[in-house]
Amino acid sequence: MAWARAVKRRRHNPYPTLWLFTDQRRLADPLPAIAKLPPGLSGVVFRHDGAAGRAALGRRIAKICRARRVALVVAGDARLAAALGAGVHLRGGRWPGPVRPRPPAAALRTASAHDPASLRRAIAAKAAIVFLSPAFATLSHPTARPLGPVRWSGLATRADARIYALGGVTGGKARCLGPACAGAGATFAGGRNAADAGSRRNKRKR
């Protein structure tokens, strides 16, 4: 949390610096975690691909995000994104499907990238935020080879975009990525996570 706030101030970043990626397997019900995210600092990438009632869950998430000033983008479904009044997340820098519904001018566009080619695609697609992954070893993709701090930083430094870290990221590890890291994303699967930390901090302030 402290790292995310410091990066936002230092980089004068108008976008959230701490993002939750929903994951049907590791976080079947993301609503409690989303309800704990710190307002103005956080965003949600809604995935839950193939989940029963995905659109209905998306509407519930969108309602919470609006109430809490949390940004929302939908992965892989531009039509659902438009229906929810959310932004679009481009996997590998690619638009989902053969049809590209024109998003609202103010809609946020994010993308994921895993190598130089997908990073170039994401930048060409004019993504405001690019999540470069996996930065470190992660349970979400246990067989994927992590980029590691040296390669991650090298790719991020050369990219003309806001590059966020994704994959096995913690506050301590994010600091290892250096000044090129403009934010971070994670799948919070219970236990002591950033969302819980934000909730505890808010309680202390009250």
Side-chain angles (χ1 to χ4, degrees), residues 73 87-90 95 103 107-111 125-129:
V73 296
V88 182
H89 179 73
L90 310 180
W95 280 92
L108 178 61
R109 189 179 305 172
T110 66
K126 301 187 185 309
I129 294 169

Side-chain angles (χ1 to χ4, degrees), residues 11-205:
R11 298 289 298 268
H12 304 290
N13 190 348
Y15 302 108
T17 50
L18 186 65
W19 287 75
L20 182 152
F21 278 64
T22 75
D23 186 305
Q24 184 179 1
R25 180 174 58 86
R26 298 185 63 205
L27 189 63
D29 180 8
L31 297 175
I34 294 171
K36 296 175 183 178
L37 292 173
L41 189 69
S42 309
V44 174
V45 178
F46 179 46
R47 296 186 295 185
H48 270 62
D49 303 309
R54 185 184 188 224
L57 177 59
R59 288 191 291 271
R60 296 175 69 188
I61 290 175
K63 183 177 180 180
I64 295 174
C65 288
R66 284 193 297 270
R68 292 188 56 78
R69 294 188 297 112
V70 171
L72 174 64
V73 296
V74 177
D77 193 333
R79 293 188 184 280
L80 179 58
L84 299 179
V88 182
H89 179 73
L90 310 180
R91 290 190 170 104
R94 293 187 175 93
W95 280 92
V99 180
R100 301 183 186 180
R102 184 180 295 276
L108 178 61
R109 189 179 305 172
T110 66
S112 61
H114 312 288
D115 51 40
S118 56
L119 184 55
R120 288 192 294 270
R121 280 197 303 269
I123 295 171
K126 301 187 185 309
I129 294 169
V130 181
F131 294 94
L132 182 58
S133 70
F136 303 97
T138 171
L139 292 175
S140 295
H141 299 282
T143 61
R145 181 180 178 183
L147 294 169
V150 174
R151 189 173 182 220
W152 191 98
S153 297
L155 289 171
T157 299
R158 293 191 295 272
D160 185 20
R162 288 183 179 86
I163 308 299
Y164 285 35
L166 177 65
V169 181
T170 64
K173 288 181 178 179
R175 291 183 177 88
C176 296
L177 299 176
C181 185
T187 299
F188 305 125
R192 296 185 63 182
N193 54 46
D196 292 330
S199 178
R200 290 193 298 273
R201 178 172 295 187
N202 291 337
K203 288 180 181 177
R204 287 198 297 270
K205 287 183 178 179

